[in-house]
Amino acid sequence: MRVAPNVAIDEEQRRELLALARSRTTQVRVAQRAMIVLRAAEGWQDQRIAAELGCGRHCVAQWRRRFLDSGVAGLLKDRPRGGRPSPRQQEVTQRIVELTTSQQPEEATHWSSALMARRVGVSGSTVLRVWRAHGLKPHLSTTFKVSNDPRFAHKLEEVVGLYLNPPEHAIVLSCDEKSQIQALDRSQPGLPLRKGRAGTMTHDYVRHGTTTLFAALNTADGTVITHQDKRHRHQEWLAFLEQIDRHTPADRELHLICDNYATHKHARVRKWLSKRPRFHVHFTPTSASWLNMVERFFRDLTQRELRRGVFTSVDQLSAVLTDYVVHHNQSPKPFIWTAKASDILEKVKRARATLDKVATG
């Protein structure tokens, strides 16, 4: 009588398999495969496992071998089927991809699976399968703008160079303001999170005023210097620069990365900087504020505190912002910049070429 190969699992694999077998969101077939491996690890033979789980002995033997070959990851996916796709299938796939990437439906701004299915004469599930295989997501749209700054390459290399190769005995600060942060209060209390139900908040709100958060992110250690004010004119920007001057070592050079907001280039600001030679300001290219690393700090602040926050006054909002910064600075983590200037420049060139092609029809 043939004996199935032994299956040995460690504690980590056991936890993974139990999680798959017991999860309510795992596919039934994946949960069954996990149970097969767990029973095999207990020394059960294929026939006994098949009888308990209600499947064939050959199925049990197949997933026992797959686990021995590929581990837990081998249980999560079926192997690709053999054989060449039919000519009809290839034609339909090519047609769906071509329409999705080059045309717009007459009755809508973008394709849905139903519209595409009617246009091509296939099922909606076929359309979704093709989109998934080719990484197409016509229901999603993101914003962008290609910079037309004539000195784009120079400014790009300057900023990225500060991130990747900062000067010795100097501090690089990514600076900006998050203006008009609203103290929004909901008209009714939200319903709490429950099993099977997301937390809720009302669609309408009451405005209680705004504040502006100025921030300078130390690109080396992730700490942040902040200042709050009601407005964001050049007067408030000067007050923020003075705060940076006070809270940084006097013997260190300071390299500030800023966007092209007019306040940052005001005559009084330039005069103030000219009297403090340790300050060196580097401007990002126009329409490229994404190069300013502090925007990542603002994004995290928005997601973690502001988007779902409920504030009955500006004072309460300001207190929350202050607490967030204090907590952030207690255990700061620097954001690691990995993109090279040459790679970014190449992407921008491709985007410009595409825009020119679209503009010329």
Side-chain angles (χ1 to χ4, degrees):
M1 179 172 125
R2 178 177 298 174
V3 178
N6 292 328
V7 172
I9 59 176
D10 56 32
E11 190 57 34
E12 182 178 351
Q13 290 176 320
R14 183 181 298 278
R15 285 196 298 267
E16 289 185 63
L17 292 168
L18 284 173
L20 290 173
R22 295 171 179 173
S23 174
R24 295 186 177 184
T25 59
T26 301
Q27 294 179 337
V28 173
R29 58 185 178 180
V30 175
Q32 184 186 66
R33 296 166 190 173
M35 285 302 304
I36 289 173
V37 176
L38 286 169
R39 291 289 180 259
E42 294 172 5
W44 290 28
Q45 292 299 308
D46 293 348
Q47 192 165 353
R48 183 183 175 187
I49 298 174
E52 183 191 73
L53 300 181
C55 58
R57 180 173 60 82
H58 294 291
C59 173
V60 175
Q62 173 188 350
W63 292 109
R64 181 193 290 263
R65 289 193 302 270
R66 182 74 64 82
F67 177 79
L68 291 173
D69 292 340
S70 307
V72 177
L75 307 179
L76 303 180
K77 289 185 179 181
D78 293 331
R79 284 178 177 164
R81 306 295 184 189
R84 177 188 299 176
S86 66
R88 166 64 179 165
Q89 181 181 351
Q90 291 178 321
E91 181 182 342
V92 168
T93 298
Q94 184 177 353
R95 178 66 172 156
I96 292 173
V97 172
E98 181 182 349
L99 287 173
T100 305
T101 56
S102 63
Q103 294 188 27
Q104 182 176 309
E106 297 178 357
E107 62 271 50
T109 59
H110 60 280
W111 291 103
S112 68
S113 58
L115 289 174
M116 183 63 75
R118 286 200 298 269
R119 179 71 173 270
V120 181
V122 296
S123 67
S125 59
T126 297
V127 174
L128 291 174
R129 192 160 51 247
V130 172
W131 281 348
R132 191 160 46 245
H134 289 79
L136 297 174
K137 300 177 181 180
H139 64 290
L140 297 180
S141 176
T142 58
T143 59
F144 91 108
K145 184 176 181 180
V146 177
S147 174
N148 293 319
D149 194 323
R151 301 183 69 242
F152 179 87
H154 173 76
K155 293 180 179 179
L156 170 67
E157 292 173 357
E158 186 175 307
V159 172
V160 174
L162 288 171
Y163 291 151
L164 299 180
N165 298 294
E168 293 185 5
H169 310 297
I171 299 174
V172 178
L173 298 173
S174 174
C175 305
D176 201 1
E177 59 272 293
K178 187 172 180 63
S179 61
Q180 301 294 307
I181 305 175
Q182 299 189 73
L184 300 180
D185 186 13
R186 300 293 162 174
S187 60
Q188 296 175 354
L191 298 177
L193 175 69
R194 290 286 185 270
K195 187 175 182 179
R197 187 186 72 191
T200 67
M201 55 195 316
T202 59
H203 67 277
D204 56 343
Y205 46 80
V206 179
R207 294 187 178 94
H208 291 292
T210 63
T211 188
T212 293
L213 178 68
F214 297 83
L217 172 69
N218 187 321
T219 62
D221 61 18
T223 57
V224 180
I225 300 171
T226 60
H227 170 72
Q228 291 187 51
D229 221 313
K230 294 181 179 179
R231 304 176 71 176
H232 51 103
R233 305 165 300 173
H234 75 272
Q235 293 95 322
E236 288 76 28
W237 182 251
L238 279 172
F240 178 50
L241 292 179
E242 290 172 354
Q243 183 173 349
I244 292 175
D245 197 16
R246 292 192 304 269
H247 286 79
T248 53
D251 60 340
R252 303 287 292 276
E253 296 284 306
L254 299 178
H255 292 264
L256 276 57
I257 299 172
C258 307
D259 63 20
N260 292 272
Y261 185 42
T263 292
H264 304 160
K265 301 179 178 181
H266 193 276
R268 288 185 60 189
V269 173
R270 293 200 304 269
K271 183 178 179 181
W272 186 92
L273 290 170
S274 67
K275 296 178 180 179
R276 291 160 179 82
R278 78 187 188 107
F279 279 77
H280 308 274
V281 180
H282 309 267
F283 293 104
T284 62
T286 56
S287 304
S289 59
W290 45 267
L291 268 176
N292 207 344
M293 195 181 288
V294 75
E295 296 294 341
R296 175 64 183 272
F297 171 78
F298 287 147
R299 189 198 73 174
D300 290 348
L301 169 65
T302 300
Q303 291 181 338
R304 296 173 183 175
E305 289 288 357
L306 301 180
R307 185 160 293 158
R308 299 188 188 186
V310 177
F311 311 103
T312 58
S313 67
V314 173
D315 289 341
Q316 183 188 10
L317 171 61
S318 297
V320 168
L321 294 175
T322 299
D323 290 344
Y324 180 85
V325 173
V326 170
H327 179 75
H328 172 87
N329 285 338
Q330 286 174 349
S331 55
K333 292 183 179 179
F335 300 114
I336 306 302
W337 188 275
T338 58
K340 297 179 180 178
S342 57
D343 296 337
I344 297 174
L345 191 58
E346 188 60 34
K347 290 182 179 179
V348 171
K349 287 180 179 178
R350 290 200 300 268
R352 283 177 178 160
T354 302
L355 286 176
D356 293 341
K357 185 177 180 181
V358 171
T360 57

